[in-house]
Amino acid sequence: MSAAAPPRRLVGTVRHGDRALQTVTLGSVVLILAMLVVLLGDVALGGARTLTWEFLTAAPRDGMTAGGVFPAIFGTVALTLLMTLAAVPAGVATAIYLTEFASTESRLARLIRVSVSNLAGVPSIVFGLFGLGFFIATVGKAIDGVAFGGQPTYGKPCLLWSSLTLAILTLPVVVVATEEAILAVPRELRDGSLALGATRMQTILRVVLPEAMGGILTGTILAVSRGAGEVAPILFTGVAYYLPYLPSHLNDPFMSLGYHVYVLATQSPDVDRTKPLLYGTALVLLILTFLLNLAAIWIRSRTRRHSRAAA
Amino acid sequence: MRARDLCVRYGQKVAIKDVDIDVHTNQVLALIGPSGCGKSTFLRSLNRMNDTVPGVSVTGHVDLDGEPIYGPNVDPVLVRRRVGMVFQRSNPFPKSIFENVAYGLRIAGMRERDVIAERVERALRHAALWDEVKDRLPESGLGLSGGQQQRLCIARALAVEPEVLLMDEPASALDPIATAKIEDLVADLRGELTIVIVTHNMQQAARVSQRTGFFYMGRLVEVGETSQVFTRPRERETEDYITGRFG
């Protein structure tokens, strides 16, 4: 039996599915955009009036019902910088090892890759507990025992341990982004360098890394901006409810914007009076994150232009 | 340079087998043959670039000035400083024209700025590129035309003053005018430097080389004076190839 011949007609349509698919996909786009607009609009409208110079530069007053969020901004920036300082060198080094030295089939490389992707899947509260158990209760306590005669100096929640905990959280993203950026460097460039008698290290430092730098920075900044707003990892490891002073040492506790939002929302004696502050804090956190993302976009567009010139 | 019993394998697959060839000093040796015949693989085994490809194993001997380049304790990096290479696709670094040419000198540890500047100029003149780029040395090498980029890569290789220059189809991605410039350049370098050039283009081989080797299916079928190989080939396979019956 032969298959039925297709109908020999031109009028009408058989593309009902196309229309439906377009409607459904467009619908999700609209839904997502609407949520984003509502979220950003609400925070921006609610926070705009609070966002004064005093709010940005003063400390909270009157049981957090007045004043500003400067200590929280300071703490978030310090935390983010320290985290970057810890995560980026380790992440970039790991990625260089994976791409340049480990052979693709090697067991070690596969083990590292699996570990990195599993690390990325660990819930952030678990990182917080890990930081408490490992950094504070183990490493910090050991340091105190050896260097401070058992006096709790590093064996307590503080800026250092929070930064390191966050660094572990952001590490997988840094590794993966760096790996991708390095792998995108054309083989011809490496060959060109090696053929001129460059060592592997010279090739990596002078050709591969400069070429991959745009991608590495973009990925890293995105990872860092994600980490900057995290609350769970710092909850047990160093963030403070309220501090009358700014942290000045690595072993000082600190305030952070993310946690401050939580505190204002749940711990306030007078919800109506803290509401504007809450909006303002959320807005500041969003702006900080957006600034980081903008930097990433700017770097990416610069690198694109650069590599287009290469084509 | 001299190769004896040279075999290269990719994993289990034999890419070239028992190649014996003498590369005469300060002459141009052209290697011709159909795609996949092993001529590029052979070329890359002369400066140990095959070492950078996972799964490649090389057996046999290659001598440079009587020294085995696959000998024990030989550092491939040092081999490559004496045996330069130009690739099929021009691959200037995303650096300035000046820094592209200075790269090999800097990685070899040269610091004196005036010496570097002098060597860069000499290499660019040697590569017949100086007049075109002398006013734009700080500009990116990627802003040059395809043919200029390839001559920049040649200048880069010449700057470190190698004894041997390997060229892997250096003009195959270029238009006829740019190709002619590269060929003129190779002809000019003849007599100053040992050159091994892989090419698909038999006219090119005939124009630029003193000796020609024909590779087929991983074997060196024959090698001899270019005029002899093209007019009176000893082997039937060579004749079939150069008269266009296959390949």
Side-chain angles (χ1 to χ4, degrees), chain A residues 187-189 191-199 202-203 206-207 211 306 309-310, chain B residues 44 49 52 77 80-81 85 87 89 91-95 103 106-107 142 156-157:
Chain A
R187 200 192 146 80
E188 286 93 11
L189 284 185
D191 280 358
S193 172
L194 292 171
L196 284 167
T199 62
Q202 288 170 327
T203 303
R206 293 175 185 236
V207 173
E211 185 67 3
H306 173 79
Chain B
R44 291 171 67 91
M49 278 303 281
T52 66
V77 169
R80 293 182 201 130
R81 287 186 184 169
M85 187 166 207
F87 297 84
R89 276 182 51 191
N91 53 353
F93 302 126
K95 301 174 187 287
Y103 184 84
R106 293 198 196 281
I107 56 169
L142 299 172
R156 186 172 75 180

Side-chain angles (χ1 to χ4, degrees), chain A residues 87 90-99 102 107-123 127 167-180 223:
Chain A
V92 171
T94 307
I96 290 176
Y97 176 79
L98 286 176
T99 51
R107 273 209 168 155
L108 181 63
R110 246 185 303 165
L111 190 70
I112 298 173
R113 283 210 176 80
V114 170
S115 314
V116 166
S117 56
N118 278 331
L119 206 58
V122 173
F127 280 107
I168 299 177
L169 179 95
T170 45
L171 201 57
V173 189
V174 175
V175 172
V176 171
T178 307
E179 233 188 313
E180 275 167 13

Side-chain angles (χ1 to χ4, degrees), chain A residues 306 308-311, chain B residues 90-101 120 124 127-156 173-175 178 181-182:
Chain A
H306 173 79
R308 208 173 303 137
Chain B
S90 62
N91 53 353
F93 302 126
K95 301 174 187 287
S96 72
I97 293 170
F98 185 91
E99 285 304 322
N100 260 282
V101 184
V120 167
L124 283 168
L129 192 59
W130 175 253
D131 289 333
E132 290 160 64
V133 301
K134 63 180 180 217
D135 299 321
R136 46 196 287 211
L137 294 176
E139 291 173 31
S140 169
L142 299 172
L144 298 173
S145 73
Q148 288 172 327
Q149 287 193 12
Q150 191 60 298
R151 277 180 286 146
L152 180 65
C153 294
I154 295 174
R156 186 172 75 180
L174 301 178
D175 64 64
K181 284 188 178 159
I182 302 277

Side-chain angles (χ1 to χ4, degrees), chain A residues 221-251:
Chain A
I221 293 174
L222 290 178
V224 163
S225 84
R226 178 93 208 120
E230 282 283 352
V231 176
I234 58 176
L235 204 54
F236 312 124
T237 53
V239 77
Y241 174 88
Y242 172 74
L243 281 177
Y245 58 91
L246 292 177
S248 58
H249 293 91
L250 287 176
N251 63 343

Side-chain angles (χ1 to χ4, degrees), chain A residues 254-276:
Chain A
F254 61 97
M255 292 177 71
S256 103
L257 287 166
Y259 186 61
H260 197 62
V261 168
Y262 170 78
V263 168
L264 288 174
T266 58
Q267 314 289 309
S268 163
D270 185 343
V271 179
D272 285 335
R273 283 179 62 201
T274 47
K275 205 168 177 185

